[in-house]
Amino acid sequence: MPQIIINTRPVERAAPLTQYLQVAGLTVIEMPMLTLRPRQTTDLDIALMRQWLAGEYKALVIVSPTAAASGLTVWQLLERENEEREYKAKDSTDKYAQRLSEGLSLPSPLVAVGEATAAEFSQVRIDTTNYQILQPETANNEGMLAMPEIDGLQAGDKLLIWRGLGGRRLLVDTLQARGVHIDSIAWYERTMPIDAMAEYQQWQQAFVTHSTASSQQPKPIVIISSAAAFEHWSSIVNNGQSKTLKIEQNSDAVADTTQRPLLTLKDFSYVVLGERLANMVEAQQLGYWRVEDLSPDTILSAINSKI
């Protein structure tokens, strides 16, 4: 029987992984456990951006493509406002136009967690004469901490992070313990998709019906990339049991299926990102394989190691 993979990545980030796994011959079900919702930009966010543009931070760390896109929009707006004030006040229209054509000027090294995040900056012209757009060798918190630009930060240095609300704390906690001052801008928040429960119940009904007819069906593999996604997944699977049972018990049309066992968290295997998630699934005695980055090749290798 084909191996089923459940991709819980947000809609904006799911396609490359899904396509890669499908080419490898796996059956992939996209079932997002997170929706990325933009947050309103605050006066504090703008103030932090102005401080970064003024060169007050040793580096800028960007932890996702969504954070990169949101921050870049505000960066362009502020840069344009600054240039208009500076050059038009001097009545130097030609110089103003020339400055715009040179692109955005980096006031510090920019660390993008991975290729997709760095790619967001390929859409605009950025002057990298003084500072570069950098990536860690491993696309995660541990990889960023190993970079010279981050590893060399000392007590009193300032670091700015573009991120989403919540997420891993390893980078922040490690640097703060060293005395580094951390400021962050949460450009978006993670919420559970409205239709997540309905999608899961529909899939579960089809899967249980099929697996009842075939005892050779392997455990579905669920890809989990964040604590919030795992919490949402756990809630849906646990709540889905009771809700589905009530539907079956109250419906004559499906009375013959009431004895079919419904799925629990232990009926799945998991591919999880990093130590924190590994500890969460291990605490529930679930079978899992840990990965250190979310590249499609890394995830496929983990899946192949256990099939």
Side-chain angles (χ1 to χ4, degrees):
M1 300 300 294
Q3 176 66 63
I4 294 176
I5 309 297
I6 298 178
N7 183 1
T8 67
R9 299 280 283 156
V11 172
E12 300 89 341
R13 303 176 187 172
L17 176 58
T18 293
Q19 293 166 6
Y20 190 88
L21 297 180
Q22 287 174 334
V23 169
L26 300 171
T27 299
V28 183
I29 309 298
E30 289 191 355
M31 200 178 299
M33 287 295 114
L34 295 176
T35 293
L36 306 182
R37 180 183 301 171
R39 302 181 74 235
Q40 184 174 359
T41 303
T42 66
D43 291 341
L44 177 58
D45 297 336
I46 297 299
L48 293 176
M49 286 291 293
R50 292 192 188 281
Q51 291 175 27
W52 174 64
L53 289 170
E56 295 185 18
Y57 294 92
K58 292 289 187 179
L60 167 67
V61 167
I62 307 173
V63 302
S64 73
T66 304
S70 300
L72 181 58
T73 298
V74 176
W75 180 11
Q76 289 176 292
L77 176 63
L78 293 178
E79 190 82 359
R80 185 171 293 273
E81 289 178 354
N82 290 340
E83 290 164 353
E84 287 177 351
R85 281 196 303 268
E86 180 179 349
Y87 294 114
K88 288 190 174 181
K90 297 177 181 178
D91 194 25
S92 180
T93 305
D94 292 340
K95 188 176 181 182
Y96 169 67
Q98 179 183 354
R99 178 68 182 86
L100 287 180
S101 68
E102 292 174 353
L104 300 172
S105 179
L106 280 172
S108 72
L110 188 157
V111 176
V113 67
E115 292 184 6
T117 301
E120 291 293 333
F121 297 96
S122 66
Q123 311 300 320
V124 298
R125 184 186 297 275
I126 295 180
D127 180 4
T128 56
T129 302
N130 296 320
Y131 300 104
Q132 303 294 312
I133 297 176
L134 308 170
Q135 296 180 53
E137 291 187 10
T138 304
N140 56 19
N141 277 225
E142 291 84 352
M144 290 188 289
L145 284 168
M147 299 176 69
E149 293 77 13
I150 304 301
D151 183 54
L153 294 175
Q154 302 175 359
D157 289 340
K158 296 178 65 176
L159 177 73
L160 180 63
I161 300 177
W162 292 357
R163 62 182 181 88
L165 199 62
R168 295 184 71 194
R169 295 281 307 178
L170 178 63
L171 178 71
V172 171
D173 291 345
T174 301
L175 293 177
Q176 284 182 333
R178 197 186 300 169
V180 177
H181 178 88
I182 307 290
D183 285 319
S184 64
I185 302 175
W187 296 110
Y188 60 94
E189 60 184 344
R190 304 170 176 89
T191 61
M192 183 187 293
I194 296 175
D195 55 355
M197 175 66 80
E199 286 188 1
Y200 174 77
Q201 288 185 326
Q202 183 178 10
W203 172 83
Q204 178 184 225
Q205 182 177 7
F207 179 82
V208 169
T209 300
H210 180 75
S211 60
T212 299
S214 172
S215 60
Q216 302 301 315
Q217 179 69 55
K219 281 186 177 184
I221 298 170
V222 185
I223 299 169
I224 301 289
S225 59
S226 73
F230 182 65
E231 290 167 359
H232 295 166
W233 169 260
S234 299
S235 174
I236 282 174
V237 173
N238 292 332
N239 292 335
Q241 283 188 286
S242 59
K243 291 188 177 181
T244 303
L245 282 171
K246 289 178 182 178
I247 292 172
E248 291 177 347
Q249 290 169 351
N250 293 331
S251 172
D252 294 336
V254 293
D256 62 328
T257 68
T258 55
Q259 300 303 312
R260 291 176 180 169
L262 297 175
L263 300 175
T264 70
L265 291 174
K266 292 186 177 181
D267 290 315
F268 301 88
S269 298
Y270 298 86
V271 174
V272 301
L273 175 65
E275 181 180 6
R276 181 188 182 196
L277 272 173
N279 291 338
M280 290 177 68
V281 298
E282 187 172 8
Q284 299 199 39
Q285 300 181 328
L286 305 176
Y288 71 93
W289 284 258
R290 171 178 164 181
V291 296
E292 300 305 328
D293 66 77
L294 294 173
S295 69
D297 182 63
T298 297
I299 292 176
L300 179 60
S301 295
I303 291 171
N304 285 336
S305 71
K306 63 189 182 61
I307 291 179

